[in-house]
Amino acid sequence: MWDLEKNIIFALIYTNNDMEYLKRTADEYLSLLLASSGAVLVEGPKWCGKTTTAEQQSNSIIRLQDPDMREKYQATIAVKPSLLLAGDTPRLIDEWQEAPVLWDSVRAMVDKRNEFGLFIMTGSNSIDPKKRSEYVKHSGSGRIARMQMLPMSLYESLESNGKISLKKLFDVSDLDIDGITSDRSVEELIFAACRGGWPASLHAKFDKAKLQIAKNYVRTVCSTDISTIDGVKRNEKVVSTILQSYARNISTLTKKSVVFKDVNEHLEGVSTTSFDMYLDALQRLFVIQDIEAWSPAIRSASAIRRGPKREFVDPSIAVAALGLSPEALYTDLKTFGFLFECMAIRDLKAYSLSLGGSMSYYHDRYDLEADAVLHLDDGRYALIEFKLGSREIEEGAEHLKEIKRLVQVHNLVEKQVKLREPDLMLIITGGEMAYTRPDGVKVIPLACLKD
């Protein structure tokens, strides 16, 4: 139960209807999808701003979680679901998973009207695949486009100066970045990671309230969302312990069996089946977002590590789960290094949204690694290392160059199936200055990037 102070904080944050809308990287992409699809599904974690962003481009809205209207909506759905689709378009259907039958109604209406930009659907959790067939009879392919929103990047929260565009880095091979500087200190980056990219936190009146948002989010996931996602009652203590274990292993290749063992050392009797169900629920809530391995044919198959890298959708979840504070991280930069990687991955996902970006990592048994590989939908990609300070930059650069060399060697041998060489080699830092090294590796402060 929240105490009075926390209730007051929550009320102050969420009852202010005069909040200024901050531009999101999703805005332009949503416009593009509306111009090319009959409907758009916007997915992502709660509190990341999906509804607010969708409202900017909608002309009518139906909120399926409105307690005053829920019974009426359900009664209408039972008789004729398409009645809820009437309204000026684009029509926003908020939290569509509350009435999954609307999916097929939207698809049918798109077919009937044969127009673009009719509907925007938002959802904070995906439907359980086992139950999906009960409600959804058609995939929506060709009618309903999908996009995922994330918590705010540093550029969206006005904490990156945006002097270096990710798109321009890919498009302009000799882009001059030398001497561009960041406006953020390591202490400010630590606070940003602890606060997280939750839009409401930017409008809180004082720092303690800003940090409370992520704590409220984790508490809600553990106490409510983990069970309401599919109606299966789950133990709050178990999900809290899983999040804590995940947080201790954030941005690492820790095996699932290790996380399972760690959970059972704190809570006895959690079965593997139950554990897997909890993880699945957290993934469908967009809380956990692991990064998959990139496995190019530059080493023998047995050399490549293939397990996922453990990540949250936002670093503040790990901070809240472990009960950390900015002050604690000021003297524990090793731990912050892992959180910094999570924050950087979040931001790179946001900046590459309109480019069809996806993330992976490379690591082999020789400890050759790239912390991340950013793939664009046109085949271009960047090899990336994340380094808080300058002391590790040389090692990171050597890793990236060695992976590029292995690709080149592969192409000399395999003339039939050649691999594309990396279009960019980046080291994202928490430092102050951007520059291009003589070997072509670009060193860029995270707080200088934008889409």
Side-chain angles (χ1 to χ4, degrees), residues 24 44 52 187 268 274:
R24 304 297 301 270
T52 304
E187 290 80 6
E268 294 182 359
S274 178

Short mmCIF file of all heavy atoms in Angstrom, two decimals, residues 24 44 52 187 268 274:
data_model
loop_
_atom_site.label_atom_id
_atom_site.label_comp_id
_atom_site.label_asym_id
_atom_site.label_seq_id
_atom_site.Cartn_x
_atom_site.Cartn_y
_atom_site.Cartn_z
N ARG A 24 8.36 13.07 -30.42
CA ARG A 24 8.88 11.71 -30.29
C ARG A 24 9.44 11.23 -31.63
O ARG A 24 8.97 11.64 -32.69
CB ARG A 24 7.78 10.75 -29.82
CG ARG A 24 7.10 11.14 -28.51
CD ARG A 24 8.07 11.14 -27.33
NE ARG A 24 8.69 9.83 -27.14
CZ ARG A 24 8.18 8.87 -26.35
NH1 ARG A 24 7.04 9.08 -25.70
NH2 ARG A 24 8.81 7.72 -26.21
N GLY A 44 3.97 -1.24 -26.94
CA GLY A 44 5.07 -0.83 -26.08
C GLY A 44 4.67 -0.88 -24.62
O GLY A 44 3.51 -1.13 -24.28
N THR A 52 -0.60 9.20 -25.89
CA THR A 52 -0.38 10.62 -26.12
C THR A 52 0.16 10.88 -27.52
O THR A 52 -0.27 11.81 -28.21
CB THR A 52 0.59 11.19 -25.08
OG1 THR A 52 0.09 10.92 -23.76
CG2 THR A 52 0.76 12.69 -25.25
N GLU A 187 27.47 12.34 -14.11
CA GLU A 187 26.46 12.40 -13.04
C GLU A 187 25.07 12.63 -13.61
O GLU A 187 24.08 12.03 -13.15
CB GLU A 187 26.81 13.52 -12.05
CG GLU A 187 28.02 13.26 -11.18
CD GLU A 187 29.34 13.54 -11.90
OE1 GLU A 187 29.31 14.05 -13.06
OE2 GLU A 187 30.40 13.23 -11.33
N GLU A 268 12.34 -20.50 -2.71
CA GLU A 268 12.34 -21.93 -3.00
C GLU A 268 11.03 -22.34 -3.67
O GLU A 268 9.97 -21.75 -3.44
CB GLU A 268 12.52 -22.74 -1.71
CG GLU A 268 13.88 -22.55 -1.06
CD GLU A 268 14.03 -23.42 0.18
OE1 GLU A 268 13.08 -24.12 0.53
OE2 GLU A 268 15.12 -23.36 0.80
N SER A 274 6.92 -22.69 -14.31
CA SER A 274 6.41 -21.44 -13.77
C SER A 274 7.35 -20.28 -14.10
O SER A 274 6.90 -19.19 -14.48
CB SER A 274 6.25 -21.57 -12.25
OG SER A 274 5.79 -20.35 -11.69
#
